Amino acid sequence: MSRFIDRVVLHVTAGKGGNGCSSVHREKFKPLGGPDGGNGGRGGGVIFVVDRSVHTLLDFHFNSHAKGTNGTQGMGGNREGANGDDLILKVPDGTVVLDKDGRILADMTGEGTRFDAAPGGRGGLGNAALASKARKAPGFALLGEDGIERDLILELKSVADVGLVGFPSAGKSSLVSVLSAAKPKIADYPFTTLVPNLGVVSSGDTTLTVADVPGLIPGASEGRGLGLEFLRHIERCAVLAHVVDCATLDPGRDPVSDVDALEAELAAYKPALSGDASLGDLADRPRIVVLNKADIPEAAELAEMVTPEFEARGWQVFTISAISREGLKPLIFALAKMVEDYRVAHPPAEPRRAVLRPVPRNEDGFQVVKDPDVPGGFIVLGTRPERWVAQTQFSNDEAVGYLADRLARLGVEAALIKLGAEPGASVTIGTVSFDWEPMTPSGVEVTRTGRGTDARLDQVDRIGADERKHARRVRRGLDTEE
């Protein structure tokens, strides 16, 4: 049995960028061929695309993890690694993408609308791209970046052209079943539908969809019952139809009070999207009133009595019976006319163009703050420093020296000195912590040494962190001098 899913939590992970390659060209009679390591490939991203053939989020309910493929590593001979394949996820028209805090990231309306949910990681540069006057043949390459990983909430808001609203057991599901080929659950005892029932109705050349929106009771706009879960499905409905039970045996209810109670809930409900699809507030949406169960004599009399009051509000009123199918044709024609008028006034939404806000390449923003957990320690915050650290292979001294040069040119070392950082202070950038050594000259021409080494890193005579830790253990009697 097919399930209707309108809200899912999806864990998306973009592919990792491929590592750069460290290679030197080797050819007969050319012993100094120079670096020829290629760049790593870009990781595949995760992209949402609106597809009108998709009507539910059911696939994401059973497959809650989505991941793009990784880029491959660069190769010698200046050959770049292959880019990872983007993962294209098809979503229904009207899907809203939110982050885990409930902030709206994208309102996806219109066939073909795309949203880049998780960009893939950039590939690392090979040593051919890192060659410079100071490093003519780098013995290292940069690592690829990890792809974006995040939890997203997908909500489906657009369901039908006509939304049927009414109290439980008013006959909404029965009406959907006789207007279309849908077969919702119907019973002869009071209960409420647990999922929206969709039906397709044809009237001449007009085809429209009708949805039974369940669970509307007084207090639904405040989360009472199931109303709040499904009220979002009528945010984009062109027409709202009040289905009224004229044969209810509840002494405290009548058709007018039922409609008034539901109108109060519709007016109190605030759509999550401001200016949702240019339809305005629910209180301003076109309405009709459907007086149901006219096959019962007492109900037919009551419907005749209340019809003038609803017509005085400017609403069309139709008296029907979902059981005997009395009055259905005029209702179908009226709904088709209202939906057609809406479509003329609101043509199909065009795919929204992606708005690109690129960050300038020369942006050098960063911030140095004191580490609250480490006395005398500091934390360097900033996109560029954190990215550079993640790209560095710390087992390669030459790569570490290159990182030191980049941070010095950015101004990180000067900022640490200004804040009073002492030699050996703990400095954390991203997920890496190290002992800061201000005496290491950086930004100057590198003394030529073996590939993968940096002579500057061997000029430090200060006791390292491991030796200081060993000395503390000796003083406490936890270790021996050896």
Side-chain angles (χ1 to χ4, degrees):
M1 174 177 160
S2 127
R3 299 176 59 187
F4 180 83
I5 300 296
D6 62 348
R7 187 180 189 275
V8 296
V9 178
L10 187 64
H11 184 76
V12 298
T13 306
K16 182 182 184 298
N19 299 333
C21 175
S22 176
S23 172
V24 175
H25 180 68
R26 290 177 174 82
E27 186 177 345
K28 191 175 182 180
F29 306 121
K30 290 184 180 180
L32 300 176
D36 67 347
N39 302 333
R42 175 186 57 82
V46 180
I47 301 174
F48 295 134
V49 179
V50 172
D51 190 331
R52 292 190 184 276
S53 64
V54 180
H55 304 288
T56 178
L57 302 175
L58 183 64
D59 290 343
F60 303 120
H61 176 73
F62 293 107
N63 301 281
S64 59
H65 292 263
K67 183 177 181 179
T69 58
N70 298 332
T72 61
Q73 182 172 339
M75 294 169 285
N78 293 305
R79 291 174 295 174
E80 295 190 351
N83 294 331
D85 295 329
D86 292 332
L87 179 61
I88 306 297
L89 301 177
K90 298 179 180 180
V91 298
D93 190 8
T95 300
V96 179
V97 184
L98 306 96
D99 63 12
K100 61 181 181 180
D101 297 323
R103 291 187 295 266
I104 296 174
L105 302 178
D107 175 17
M108 304 187 66
T109 57
E111 177 78 11
T113 298
R114 296 168 63 93
F115 172 64
D116 194 353
R122 289 186 289 188
L125 297 179
N127 66 341
L130 297 173
S132 64
K133 181 179 179 181
R135 293 181 174 85
K136 300 185 183 299
F140 68 98
L142 299 185
L143 303 178
E145 296 182 30
D146 291 331
I148 298 297
E149 184 175 355
R150 65 202 305 192
D151 289 329
L152 298 176
I153 300 172
L154 304 185
E155 287 189 353
L156 178 59
K157 288 182 177 288
S158 180
V159 170
D161 299 308
V162 178
L164 304 181
V165 297
F167 276 71
S169 298
K172 301 185 296 298
S173 299
S174 299
L175 183 56
V176 171
S177 69
V178 296
L179 291 178
S180 66
K183 301 299 180 184
K185 178 182 177 181
I186 301 171
D188 58 356
Y189 57 87
F191 77 102
T192 184
T193 304
L194 298 180
V195 298
N197 295 308
L198 303 180
V200 179
V201 182
S202 296
S203 175
D205 296 332
T206 302
T207 300
L208 58 131
T209 54
V210 179
D212 158 22
V213 181
L216 290 191
I217 59 175
S221 62
E222 299 174 357
R224 185 179 178 189
L226 299 176
L228 192 60
E229 291 296 320
F230 298 108
L231 268 171
R232 61 173 172 267
H233 288 298
I234 61 177
E235 289 185 19
R236 291 188 177 115
C237 289
V239 179
L240 300 183
H242 282 289
V243 180
V244 182
D245 181 3
C246 291
T248 179
L249 299 179
D250 190 337
R253 287 176 51 191
D254 63 84
V256 176
S257 63
D258 283 1
V259 172
D260 289 341
L262 295 181
E263 282 293 318
E265 295 306 315
L266 295 176
Y269 177 68
K270 299 299 182 184
L273 304 179
S274 58
D276 191 343
S278 301
L279 292 177
D281 294 335
L282 295 180
D284 301 327
R285 210 66 52 85
R287 284 158 168 68
I288 63 172
V289 177
V290 181
L291 302 177
N292 193 18
K293 304 185 181 180
D295 54 297
I296 301 176
E298 294 80 1
E301 294 178 4
L302 181 58
E304 185 176 356
M305 292 174 54
V306 299
T307 294
E309 184 165 350
F310 290 127
E311 291 178 339
R313 303 183 185 184
W315 297 341
Q316 297 184 62
V317 181
F318 296 88
T319 302
I320 69 159
S321 170
I323 299 298
S324 64
R325 307 197 175 210
E326 174 187 348
L328 291 185
K329 284 189 176 181
L331 174 61
I332 293 175
F333 294 150
L335 291 175
K337 178 64 168 59
M338 297 176 74
V339 170
E340 194 63 34
D341 292 343
Y342 161 76
R343 292 174 179 173
V344 171
H346 302 81
E350 295 293 333
R352 299 184 178 181
R353 293 183 177 180
V355 179
L356 302 179
R357 298 181 176 88
V359 178
R361 292 176 61 90
N362 60 352
E363 183 181 9
D364 56 0
F366 70 92
Q367 183 181 9
V368 180
V369 299
K370 293 186 177 181
D371 192 334
D373 300 325
V374 179
F378 296 87
I379 301 176
V380 180
L381 305 174
T383 302
R384 297 180 73 184
E386 292 175 7
R387 184 172 71 243
W388 293 346
V389 167
Q391 292 176 327
T392 301
Q393 184 179 0
F394 285 92
S395 60
N396 187 306
D397 287 349
E398 190 176 359
V400 176
Y402 178 72
L403 172 64
D405 288 342
R406 301 177 87 179
L407 295 176
R409 286 194 296 267
L410 188 62
V412 173
E413 185 165 321
L416 288 170
I417 294 175
K418 186 176 180 180
L419 290 176
E422 297 292 336
S426 173
V427 176
T428 301
I429 304 178
T431 59
V432 177
S433 298
F434 56 89
D435 292 335
W436 179 58
E437 178 51 64
M439 298 304 293
T440 301
S442 57
V444 299
E445 185 172 353
V446 180
T447 304
R448 296 189 178 185
T449 57
R451 295 181 64 244
T453 63
D454 192 313
R456 297 172 299 174
L457 301 182
D458 298 330
Q459 298 174 2
V460 179
D461 297 327
R462 184 177 51 80
I463 298 176
D466 291 339
E467 296 181 26
R468 294 198 305 272
K469 181 178 179 181
H470 175 67
R472 286 196 300 269
R473 293 179 60 84
V474 170
R475 289 195 300 269
R476 297 173 182 173
L478 303 177
D479 207 342
T480 63
E481 291 288 347
E482 291 77 11

